Amino acid sequence: MAQEEQSLLSAEIINRGIHPSGPDAGSPTFSVRVQRRLPDFLQSVNLKYVKLGYHYLITHAIYLATIPVLVLVFSAEVGSISKEELWRKIWEDTRYDLVSLLAFFAVLVFTLSVYFMSKPRPIYLIDFACYKPSDDLKVSKEEFIELARKSGKFDEASLDFQGRIVQSSGIGDETYVPKAIMLPENCATMKEGRAEASEVIFGALDELFEKCRIRPKDVGILVVNCSLFNPTPSLSAMIVNHYKMRGNILSFNLGGMGCSAGVIALDLARDMLQANPNNYAVVVSTEMVAFNWYPGRNRSMLIPNCFFRMGCSAVLLSNRRHDFRRAKYRLEHIVRTHKGADDRSFRSVYQEEDEHRHKGLAISRDLLEVGGDALKTNITTLGPIVLPVSEQLLFFSTLVRKQLFGSSKTTKPYIPDYKLAFEHFCVHAASKTVLDEMEKNLELSDKNMEASRMTLHRFGNTSSSCIWYELAYLEAKERVRRGDRVWQLGFGSGFKCNSAVWRALRRVRKPNKNPWLDCIERYPVAM
């Protein structure tokens, strides 16, 4: 990316003040200096998040520690006497004490009942669908700029700026945009927003219901997330109306939660499935491109125009144990990180109006820095939950050493190898710069980042649905085998960074319906 564009994506704060007047009076204002990369994770890791990860592990899996201890104690006791002596001892001690024997079995039954009743229900992913727009909405990078010029909404300086961004963005020549954004009139209307929402959402859901062979009335929980387009009635109500879903459906509509909302929606669906047995949940993740199109000249607001493209995903989850046989994945963990308490993080991606009252999404120069901080927090919390024992020991030794001897400038914290914890990586395809820095700082290989890079190239940044297009890429390549672990990582406004971990229950063959089927043989491509 050219120096001018890069400077818009990363910076370091050096001063803080307060807006004296205007619509932002009383809110913080910042003076920044350019920093053109993510912070190096090796330089500093806040170990309190490591402790948070261990706390999560102990809280959710205490039986993993108690069961081996009980087994060892029982084995040691039994191993010291013969089978005949053991039987004689049990018989002699209990034949005259029926009350004690019944009490023992009552406690055993009670303990097992509490364990199985409190154990979280497994959450299965039956299947998912990613919407693929029609070819008449496909544009190349050159066509994108030419259509922007014909719309008459931008001056030459703005067109030149967007052209440089697009050329260095990592986006290819087959992404999709709504026709409305290139028309001279205003496209950010409720009519255009609803039209685009109907197209992408119903397209994804129609495919999902067909693939899973279920009726819309079978769905008991519906969660929809769309960050910037939130009409009344809601998008979830629009879906219920279109498919004539049942009247007691539990529906939720998440708005304003950015590109990481796909994992947040999964978390909500998981909680609802835990509370409502024998149910199906559908999670829809999307964003409306036309409604959020910025026609002004503010360069920080022009950046989203260059990256965001049409897309939508629909996922079917189940807590029915008999769905284990047909499910593709089981949900293992969700770890969420929210940095909204920090002012820079809060304003790093901010919807506002420019001096000409044009609404747009402003990208702060602090974005890469605050994003790196949120990512660092998230992965250090996730580490103790997913890493193998060898990495756990090295990770834990760093924590102990710092607690006993304090921090040292010459001793760098140990950054674990996450390639040992996951076979597949689905990192939110925000931009080429972000993916490059992710690969460098987490020491991932080109193969690990392939799904993210190719999704950015083929479909652009589709916001919260990106991670599902990436998983669809892995399935189209037939790389997912039984037992494989998949890490979906999303980040977005707030600032939030969220992780979802899945385990494949079977080998996933190339599906009959997949957005990559017509082009998968051409990928990967050089970027």
Side-chain angles (χ1 to χ4, degrees):
M1 185 178 288
Q3 179 177 349
E4 184 178 14
E5 293 85 38
Q6 255 185 335
S7 66
L8 283 166
L9 296 178
S10 178
E12 183 176 322
I13 188 166
I14 58 176
N15 188 25
R16 178 177 296 176
I18 299 296
H19 285 283
S21 61
D24 294 325
S27 62
T29 181
F30 308 105
S31 175
V32 297
R33 63 169 178 263
V34 173
Q35 177 178 309
R36 299 189 180 92
R37 53 177 295 181
L38 283 170
D40 190 348
F41 295 161
L42 292 175
Q43 296 303 318
S44 63
V45 173
N46 194 331
L47 294 183
K48 72 177 182 180
Y49 298 112
V50 181
K51 292 186 288 185
L52 182 61
Y54 282 112
H55 175 74
Y56 180 97
L57 181 66
I58 294 171
T59 301
H60 290 77
I62 189 64
Y63 58 88
L64 294 179
T66 58
I67 290 177
V69 172
L70 294 175
V71 170
L72 288 174
V73 172
F74 181 76
S75 300
E77 179 66 23
V78 171
S80 64
I81 58 178
S82 66
K83 293 181 179 179
E84 292 76 11
E85 291 174 330
L86 176 64
W87 175 251
R88 186 171 61 252
K89 183 178 178 63
I90 293 175
W91 175 251
E92 291 176 352
D93 289 348
T94 59
R95 61 178 176 174
Y96 298 116
D97 193 358
L98 184 60
V99 175
S100 299
L101 184 62
L102 293 176
F104 169 77
F105 280 107
V107 172
L108 178 62
V109 170
F110 176 77
T111 302
L112 292 175
S113 300
V114 171
Y115 169 74
F116 285 108
M117 290 178 64
S118 61
K119 185 179 180 181
R121 295 182 178 88
I123 305 300
Y124 300 117
L125 191 159
I126 306 300
D127 213 332
F128 66 96
C130 296
Y131 177 68
K132 181 185 175 185
S134 58
D135 287 344
D136 63 320
L137 300 178
K138 188 182 297 183
V139 295
S140 66
K141 294 189 288 289
E142 289 74 17
E143 290 172 340
F144 178 83
I145 298 302
E146 186 58 31
L147 288 172
R149 177 177 284 106
K150 290 181 179 179
S151 71
K153 298 175 182 177
F154 307 102
D155 58 16
E156 284 301 320
S158 298
L159 291 169
D160 182 62
F161 174 76
Q162 291 181 85
R164 296 197 306 273
I165 289 282
V166 169
Q167 290 299 329
S168 60
S169 63
I171 293 176
D173 291 325
E174 296 184 287
T175 58
Y176 304 92
V177 297
K179 290 182 179 179
I181 67 173
M182 299 307 178
L183 299 177
E185 55 267 17
N186 178 28
C187 64
T189 63
M190 295 299 292
K191 179 182 178 181
E192 293 296 342
R194 290 183 186 275
E196 184 181 347
S198 299
E199 178 181 353
V200 299
I201 293 177
F202 297 155
L205 285 173
D206 288 345
E207 180 180 326
L208 179 71
F209 292 140
E210 181 182 351
K211 290 170 72 173
C212 298
R213 300 187 299 278
I214 70 166
R215 303 173 304 163
K217 287 185 178 294
D218 295 331
V219 177
I221 301 164
L222 174 64
V223 183
V224 182
N225 68 269
C226 182
S227 184
L228 298 176
F229 179 62
N230 293 286
T232 299
S234 65
L235 294 177
S236 60
M238 182 182 74
I239 294 172
V240 172
N241 174 262
H242 179 79
Y243 290 102
K244 308 305 177 187
M245 291 178 161
R246 63 199 202 195
N248 64 343
I249 189 171
L250 304 175
S251 66
F252 303 86
N253 199 95
L254 306 181
M257 305 200 77
C259 298
S260 66
V263 179
I264 298 173
L266 282 177
D267 195 20
L268 176 58
R270 178 187 64 173
D271 290 345
M272 296 306 300
L273 284 172
Q274 293 295 344
N276 297 273
N278 199 35
N279 237 314
Y280 286 120
V282 168
V283 177
V284 178
S285 300
T286 188
E287 194 58 76
M288 301 303 109
V289 177
F291 188 77
N292 304 308
W293 192 253
Y294 174 67
R297 302 179 182 181
N298 187 317
R299 293 193 172 187
S300 68
M301 295 183 178
L302 286 171
I303 293 175
N305 287 2
C306 304
F307 287 99
F308 285 103
R309 297 292 186 267
M310 292 179 70
C312 178
S313 65
V315 181
L316 179 65
L317 304 175
S318 172
N319 59 10
R320 305 182 183 198
R321 295 190 183 275
H322 64 265
D323 280 330
F324 171 84
R325 297 183 179 274
R326 68 172 182 142
K328 285 185 174 182
Y329 307 92
R330 182 179 65 242
L331 182 59
E332 297 282 300
H333 308 287
I334 290 180
V335 174
R336 293 169 55 181
T337 300
H338 201 308
K339 291 289 186 176
D342 175 69
D343 291 334
R344 285 193 302 158
S345 297
F346 177 71
R347 294 189 66 92
S348 59
V349 181
Y350 201 82
Q351 188 180 24
E352 58 187 351
E353 295 175 337
D354 65 11
E355 61 275 12
H356 300 294
R357 312 302 291 177
H358 294 306
K359 175 174 60 68
L361 198 65
I363 305 298
S364 168
R365 296 183 177 185
D366 295 328
L367 182 59
L368 278 186
E369 186 179 357
V370 301
D373 183 55
L375 173 65
K376 183 171 63 177
T377 300
N378 189 264
I379 64 175
T380 51
T381 304
L382 181 68
I385 305 170
V386 299
L387 289 169
V389 175
S390 59
E391 294 296 294
Q392 291 271 15
L393 292 174
L394 293 170
F395 208 39
F396 188 70
S397 65
T398 302
L399 174 64
V400 173
R401 186 169 62 250
K402 182 168 183 178
Q403 292 296 322
L404 294 179
F405 306 107
S407 58
S408 172
K409 294 182 179 179
T410 60
T411 303
K412 293 181 179 179
Y414 176 72
I415 300 301
D417 186 358
Y418 282 87
K419 297 188 293 294
L420 299 176
F422 307 107
E423 283 73 33
H424 307 290
F425 296 78
C426 298
V427 180
H428 173 55
S431 70
K432 183 176 183 295
T433 302
V434 170
L435 295 180
D436 288 344
E437 292 297 330
M438 284 285 298
E439 179 178 348
K440 177 181 177 181
N441 281 279
L442 292 181
E443 299 181 352
L444 302 178
S445 65
D446 290 338
K447 190 71 171 287
N448 297 143
M449 299 297 295
E450 182 181 316
S452 300
R453 293 187 188 280
M454 297 308 106
T455 296
L456 179 64
H457 183 274
R458 177 63 180 85
F459 292 99
N461 183 345
T462 60
S463 190
S464 56
S465 63
C466 265
I467 53 179
W468 296 105
Y469 284 87
E470 293 163 13
L471 186 55
Y473 177 87
L474 294 171
E475 292 190 354
K477 285 289 186 179
E478 296 187 277
R479 292 179 182 171
V480 182
R481 301 178 181 273
R482 182 178 180 179
D484 284 358
R485 295 153 298 180
V486 181
W487 182 16
Q488 290 183 318
L489 178 65
F491 35 85
S493 60
F495 194 87
K496 299 180 288 292
C497 181
N498 303 313
S499 293
V501 179
W502 302 90
R503 184 176 292 274
L505 299 177
R506 56 184 171 88
R507 182 175 181 178
V508 181
R509 302 287 184 179
K510 185 180 293 186
N512 295 326
K513 290 183 177 294
N514 186 293
W516 293 92
L517 289 184
D518 66 335
C519 62
I520 193 62
E521 301 303 328
R522 294 188 279 114
Y523 284 89
V525 298
M527 293 177 60

